[in-house]
Amino acid sequence: MSLSRAPRRTLLAVGVLTAVVALSACSSDNNGKSGGGGNTNFVTNTGGVSTVAKGERTAPNDIVGETLDGKRLDVADLKGKVVVLNAWGSWCGPCRAEAPHFAKVAKDLKGQGVEFVGLNTRDPNKQPAIAFEEDYGVPYPSLYDPQGKLILFGFPKGTLNPQAIPSTVVLDKEGKIAARSLMALDEKKLRSMIEPLLKEK
């Protein structure tokens, strides 16, 4: 190994480690509260889904970019609907496990005030991610976020942000962060995050 390569590899390793820690760090205390320190105002139930009471929710930062099929998508344009944001990667085993459930629920709820948006991360090129969506019949768009910038900076500190892959964050009809899961979901758990928000006035 040449001396010029050594520092570059070290910097790359530090950068990757920082991103992994940021995406996988999750804390909770014994009172059921979890997350970004201080008064977070969200509670994690025994099923691993964290929720925020309606009056205490905050909006995400800008979540906008290019989708895997090259179109521009801004999550803010979906305000008025319940929006399911799913952070995933084609390399992720649990993402493959939950993909059929997401595809089914997205198809079932299409036209009922629910939109799904994927946040594809850590895929260095689009082809594996596109193949993943084709294999599982994913009917909704995914923002291409290979460096995880949307995941890291799209959610204000202290809110229910995606801290692992896969993660799912659900926005209410006002575009505010209402629920989050940091694990792969089956159809029942996914619906349990969406249905209460559809009933809100």
Side-chain angles (χ1 to χ4, degrees):
M1 174 170 46
S2 72
L3 291 175
S4 64
R5 282 185 164 184
R8 193 180 321 170
R9 286 186 180 171
T10 302
L11 286 172
L12 181 60
V14 169
V16 169
L17 181 60
T18 301
V20 168
V21 169
L23 286 172
S24 62
C26 175
S27 63
S28 63
D29 65 29
N30 294 329
N31 297 321
K33 289 206 171 184
S34 69
N39 294 320
T40 55
N41 296 322
F42 52 88
V43 177
T44 303
N45 68 22
T46 55
V49 174
S50 303
T51 58
V52 183
K54 187 171 183 181
E56 297 172 346
R57 297 173 189 162
T58 57
N61 298 326
D62 291 340
I63 303 176
V64 58
E66 184 178 297
T67 63
L68 288 171
D69 60 1
K71 297 176 182 172
R72 185 181 182 279
L73 189 151
D74 186 344
V75 169
D77 292 340
L78 303 175
K79 194 171 179 181
K81 298 182 178 183
V82 173
V83 179
V84 180
L85 301 171
N86 177 243
W88 65 279
S90 66
W91 44 268
C92 161
C95 300
R96 290 191 287 275
E98 72 176 6
H101 302 291
F102 275 74
K104 181 180 188 305
V105 175
K107 288 172 186 171
D108 288 352
L109 297 181
K110 187 69 177 171
Q112 297 183 40
V114 181
E115 293 288 340
F116 280 67
V117 176
L119 302 174
N120 171 253
T121 190
R122 290 161 56 190
D123 273 314
N125 64 70
K126 291 182 178 181
Q127 289 311 310
I130 291 168
F132 178 103
E133 290 193 329
E134 290 172 354
D135 288 347
Y136 292 102
V138 176
Y140 51 85
S142 284
L143 288 164
Y144 183 52
D145 186 28
Q147 296 176 332
K149 290 180 180 178
L150 295 176
I151 294 169
L152 290 173
F153 303 117
F155 300 84
K157 186 177 180 181
T159 62
L160 294 176
N161 53 351
Q163 297 176 347
I165 307 298
S167 287
T168 301
V169 174
V170 184
L171 309 182
D172 64 17
K173 295 173 190 175
E174 296 176 0
K176 295 182 177 179
I177 301 165
R180 177 193 65 188
S181 172
L182 298 175
M183 60 186 168
L185 297 170
D186 59 18
E187 181 180 349
K188 183 177 179 182
K189 280 195 174 177
L190 179 56
R191 287 181 182 275
S192 77
M193 295 175 71
I194 299 167
E195 287 168 0
L197 300 176
L198 278 175
K199 294 173 184 173
E200 288 183 352
K201 300 299 181 188

